[in-house]
Amino acid sequence: AVVSTQSTGASMELENFLVHTLKEKEISKLLSSTLQSYQGIEKLITRQLMSCCYALSTHLQTLLGMSRWYDRYGAVGLSECAVQHSINKLSGLMIKSQELLQSISHSKMRLSAFLKWLLKATIALGDENPTVVKLTEEE
């Protein structure tokens, strides 16, 4: 991508916003706070939700074993089918949690790259020298 300081019309308004309103410090704060938010959500999923799912899985496996021992636990009314259904639903929740973690990771990476690019573009537009600044594809 190429960022040029020679602009007209609506892009001139954007350039003014980037140069005069949006400062490097604000972009850095935004980057830092969004990364912290993403990390907080990731911690909640991994530490709370997933650990709870593993513990619940253990208990459901115990219940499944008990439901198969009808002579001893038949009077309780445990249904092997119902317990297996619960295990399947829990497995689905665990898979969706992993997908959510992947989605958060990709989103965090893309947002971080965008904000770093925005920071470099803002710095480049703020320079008095009207040169063209080339940003790499990775940025």
Side-chain angles (χ1 to χ4, degrees):
V2 176
V3 175
S4 174
T5 58
Q6 301 169 348
S7 305
T8 59
S11 61
M12 191 62 162
E13 290 177 22
L14 177 60
E15 183 178 333
N16 284 335
F17 173 74
L18 292 174
V19 173
H20 301 294
T21 306
L22 193 61
K23 303 293 182 195
E24 295 173 39
K25 188 176 180 181
E26 292 170 342
I27 296 172
S28 296
K29 281 183 181 180
L30 180 62
L31 176 62
S32 176
S33 68
T34 54
L35 290 178
Q36 286 177 355
S37 296
Y38 277 125
Q39 290 169 348
I41 294 169
E42 287 173 326
K43 283 180 185 178
L44 282 174
I45 293 170
T46 55
R47 291 184 183 169
Q48 301 295 322
L49 181 61
M50 293 305 285
S51 64
C52 184
C53 285
Y54 291 132
L56 190 54
S57 175
T58 302
H59 293 298
L60 285 174
Q61 291 298 327
T62 302
L63 281 175
L64 183 63
M66 292 169 71
S67 71
R68 290 178 177 164
W69 193 359
Y70 187 77
D71 293 341
R72 179 151 185 178
Y73 298 103
V76 176
L78 281 176
S79 164
E80 182 178 349
C81 183
V83 175
Q84 188 62 53
H85 181 73
S86 297
I87 290 171
N88 292 342
K89 292 296 182 182
L90 179 63
S91 297
L93 175 63
M94 293 172 81
I95 290 169
K96 289 297 181 184
S97 298
Q98 288 298 325
E99 290 175 2
L100 179 59
L101 282 173
Q102 285 180 332
S103 177
I104 289 170
S105 177
H106 290 292
S107 180
K108 180 173 64 171
M109 188 173 54
R110 287 190 305 267
L111 183 63
S112 177
F114 170 72
L115 289 175
K116 287 177 183 177
W117 172 84
L118 184 62
L119 180 61
K120 289 181 180 185
T122 302
I123 292 170
L125 289 172
D127 288 343
E128 296 299 322
N129 186 0
T131 59
V132 175
V133 177
K134 291 187 178 182
L135 300 175
T136 66
E137 186 74 24
E138 292 175 2
E139 298 171 330

